[in-house]
Amino acid sequence: MAEQAVSPRERYRSQVRSDIKARAWEQIAKSGATGLSLNAVAKELGMSGPALYRYFGSRDELITELIRDAYRGLADTFRAAADSGAGVDGLAHTLRRWALDDPQRYFLVYGTPVPGYHAPDDITAIAQEIMTALLDVCAAAAPEAPVSAGFTAHLAQHRAWAGDHSASPAVLRRALAFWTRMHGVLSLELAGQFTGMGFDAERLFEAEVAELAGGGS
């Protein structure tokens, strides 16, 4: 079946929405998500406030679109890496490249939550795709480790964050170690917290990856 032609009006609307999002990212880079102003975006684009609201009905709607785009990009990138046979180290480097390519995008989804903002369910579902790709890679990374008492055993009964993935408690533990340690290093590095400490943040990241890939938890 032939694809339905896109009308000039629909193309124009799509282009204007893209322009609005581009300006919004520029504002976020300068002032953070809490400083995002639709009226300021409209002014930069030579539009009136009411005109812009025909494309995004509220600031939260625009933020939702930006977050959705960010999560979708990372989910697709993670899945492509997992499907190509990337191991834990490969997925870690994929995450690092994605974060360093656009720190403001990273902080919008993994930084301090925007006050009063609640993401819709479809964004939660996209975030779950990211975790599913991570769990797939961790499940294939190493032989099963024995489940000892403590946090790994705790995960056997507290696994809502893993969705319906069939990962064992040991795999859940490995995935959670990856998630917390990689984001910990990246968040501190991108926020400039390592500046002046006298070591190479990339080498710290590599050391953490090496431990995780070796099966440490």
Side-chain angles (χ1 to χ4, degrees):
M1 181 183 295
E3 291 186 7
Q4 186 175 0
V6 178
S7 70
R9 181 172 182 173
E10 289 170 325
R11 286 197 298 270
Y12 176 76
R13 179 176 178 80
S14 178
Q15 182 59 56
V16 173
R17 282 174 61 89
S18 293
D19 291 344
I20 291 171
K21 288 193 287 186
R23 288 289 191 271
W25 280 120
E26 291 173 3
Q27 272 200 22
I28 290 172
K30 294 177 183 177
S31 307
T34 57
L36 179 61
S37 164
L38 265 64
N39 286 331
V41 170
K43 183 176 180 180
E44 290 182 12
L45 290 172
M47 303 169 64
S48 67
L52 186 144
Y53 279 91
R54 292 200 295 267
Y55 297 93
F56 291 98
S58 66
R59 189 197 69 151
D60 279 2
E61 184 180 327
L62 177 53
I63 290 175
T64 293
E65 188 72 7
L66 299 178
I67 292 175
R68 182 180 289 115
D69 287 350
Y71 270 127
R72 181 77 269 157
L74 182 57
D76 290 346
T77 300
F78 256 38
R79 176 46 60 191
D83 289 349
S84 67
V88 172
D89 56 343
L91 210 59
H93 290 109
T94 295
L95 177 61
R96 180 179 172 79
R97 284 192 299 271
W98 187 85
L100 294 181
D101 281 348
D102 192 338
Q104 293 305 322
R105 176 182 60 183
Y106 176 87
F107 281 127
L108 184 61
V109 294
Y110 292 120
T112 304
V114 179
Y117 174 80
H118 300 284
D121 290 344
D122 72 298
I123 290 182
T124 303
I126 299 172
Q128 187 60 57
E129 291 180 40
I130 297 170
M131 191 58 67
T132 296
L134 171 59
L135 288 165
D136 287 346
V137 169
C138 288
E144 285 289 312
V147 178
S148 59
F151 189 64
T152 301
H154 172 79
L155 288 175
Q157 303 300 324
H158 298 81
R159 50 185 301 142
W161 58 276
D164 59 1
H165 201 285
S166 61
S168 68
V171 170
L172 295 178
R173 179 68 182 97
R174 171 173 283 221
L176 199 56
F178 174 101
W179 203 239
T180 55
R181 290 169 70 171
M182 294 299 92
H183 281 299
V185 174
L186 285 171
S187 295
L188 290 169
E189 179 184 2
L190 293 174
Q193 296 298 325
F194 295 143
T195 302
M197 292 182 69
F199 63 83
D200 186 336
E202 183 175 3
R203 294 191 66 174
L204 170 61
F205 185 87
E206 295 293 348
E208 291 292 281
V209 170
E211 286 192 19
L212 290 167
S217 63

